[in-house]
Amino acid sequence: MSSTVSLGGAQTSRDSEILDELEAEAIWAIREAVAAFEKPVILYSIGKDSTVLLHLAAKAFAPGRIPIPVLHIDTTWKFREMIEFRDATAARLGLDLVVHTNPAGAGGEVTPFTHSSDEYTRIMKTIALRQALDAGGYDVALGGARRDEERSRAKERMFSLRAAGHTWDPSAQRPELWHSVNTVLKPGHTMRAFPLSNWTERDVWKYIRREGLDIVSLYFTADRPTVTRQGKAIVVDDERFPLEPGESIVTRAVRFRTLGCYPLSAAEESAASTIDELIDELEISTTSERAGRLIDGSGASSMERKKLEGYF
């Protein structure tokens, strides 16, 4: 089975106007970051948002290739399809792809099964990201986070200042008036840039449809092997998944709204096997796309605490 799904379709004229405005703003932010800072890097998680971000970066610098490195933090627990998609995308776009794994867990010592989700995320994502940014000397990291994802995300500016150690202080964010950005950095400070800040989940999918982008097929419903844990359906992606006593693998028609490490990413039962069906489903959804992220399950302040420590 192909690891990607090619999408296409029509938009309403109002949709096109909104997407044109969001696209123009995002391309402005990408160009501003690359022009204003000495060592920019794009963070690539392989999901729908970073797929859109890469496409916008390609548009921003066409007809040339994307002129800055693309960084992927590899926990070694992503879906196999995601890694295949990452490598195919890097080859297709001619990316300067940088892949980093925290050496502390590179040999399998730190896993979603041996550590709590909080500790696993801290070691394999937060610390790994800080390591990679320091090693590359990057002074601005562009990512695909959006304000509508989660409450702490809504506190971010499009250009979000980070203090020494990549720590984040919501009260220290700089005002952004009329697209005038203060890009001056003190020693030890860096910046995070979020060109998709003002997009919604539906905007992202409508843009993917309009632009005919290839994405990981995990976003679309298919029969997949699952185990129920914490009341959620977890897809068993490889032989490293240990079954607990009394558990059995059950095939379900499921898809993902958000992707991450497979043992910590819950799927949801759905009939949406096309992009039009997916968008229709989102129109009536009353849950957050991050409801399936087990790493977000430690309370309302969980994401903000992670961000304070340097998580993206």
Side-chain angles (χ1 to χ4, degrees), residues 58-105:
K59 279 196 169 189
F61 302 107
R65 59 190 287 272
I66 296 174
I68 62 176
V70 174
L71 171 64
H72 174 66
I73 302 301
D74 189 353
T75 64
T76 74
W77 286 92
K78 301 288 187 182
F79 290 91
R80 289 169 294 176
E81 181 184 333
M82 294 176 70
I83 300 305
E84 294 170 2
F85 186 87
R86 178 199 70 189
D87 295 343
T89 298
R92 176 172 55 84
L93 296 179
L95 300 179
D96 177 9
L97 179 66
V98 178
V99 178
H100 177 75
T101 301
N102 186 346

Side-chain angles (χ1 to χ4, degrees), residues 26-277:
I27 288 175
W28 164 82
I30 293 167
R31 289 173 174 165
E32 181 77 9
V34 172
F37 295 92
E38 294 183 4
K39 292 205 70 177
V41 66
I42 294 174
L43 302 186
Y44 182 46
S45 70
I46 320 173
K48 63 185 185 304
D49 302 307
S50 59
T51 292
V52 167
L53 182 61
L54 275 185
H55 179 71
L56 290 164
K59 279 196 169 189
F61 302 107
R65 59 190 287 272
I66 296 174
I68 62 176
V70 174
L71 171 64
H72 174 66
I73 302 301
D74 189 353
T75 64
T76 74
W77 286 92
K78 301 288 187 182
F79 290 91
R80 289 169 294 176
E81 181 184 333
M82 294 176 70
I83 300 305
E84 294 170 2
F85 186 87
R86 178 199 70 189
D87 295 343
T89 298
R92 176 172 55 84
L93 296 179
L95 300 179
D96 177 9
L97 179 66
V98 178
V99 178
H100 177 75
T101 301
N102 186 346
E109 298 85 357
V110 181
T111 78
F113 304 108
T114 59
H115 291 63
S116 69
S117 60
D118 268 0
E119 185 65 2
Y120 168 80
T121 299
R122 186 184 71 83
I123 296 170
M124 298 306 292
K125 294 186 177 181
T126 303
I127 293 177
L129 177 58
R130 297 196 313 236
Q131 290 172 343
L133 294 177
D134 287 341
Y138 304 118
D139 53 358
V140 62
L142 294 85
R146 310 184 323 270
R147 291 193 181 110
D148 76 323
E149 285 182 75
E150 193 269 343
R151 277 179 285 183
S152 67
R153 299 284 198 207
K155 298 179 181 180
E156 295 271 21
R157 299 288 195 268
M158 187 170 286
F159 285 82
S160 183
L161 186 68
R162 294 296 192 270
H166 306 282
T167 57
W168 177 61
D169 180 359
S171 66
Q173 300 305 291
R174 295 169 175 174
E176 293 175 353
L177 305 174
W178 304 290
H179 280 179
S180 178
V181 181
N182 181 353
T183 58
V184 176
L185 297 176
K186 296 179 180 179
H189 286 198
T190 57
M191 194 75 77
R192 304 281 171 89
F194 305 104
L196 305 185
S197 288
N198 294 324
W199 297 52
T200 67
E201 184 182 8
R202 286 190 291 273
D203 292 330
V204 167
W205 282 112
K206 289 178 179 179
Y207 188 76
I208 288 171
R209 179 172 63 181
R210 186 181 82 170
E211 299 294 301
L213 303 185
D214 288 341
I215 60 166
V216 177
S217 68
L218 292 161
Y219 286 112
F220 295 90
T221 295
D223 289 337
R224 297 184 169 100
T226 68
V227 167
T228 301
R229 286 196 179 169
Q230 300 179 35
K232 298 179 184 294
I234 306 298
V235 169
V236 180
D237 194 59
D238 60 37
E239 70 285 349
R240 295 177 296 172
F241 192 99
L243 292 177
E244 296 180 353
E247 284 186 337
S248 60
I249 297 175
V250 177
T251 299
R252 293 185 177 92
V254 296
R255 74 174 190 88
F256 294 87
R257 283 179 68 185
T258 181
L259 293 173
C261 299
Y262 85 81
L264 300 175
S265 300
E268 59 180 47
E269 295 192 68
S270 168
S273 59
T274 70
I275 193 165
D276 289 326
E277 292 171 348

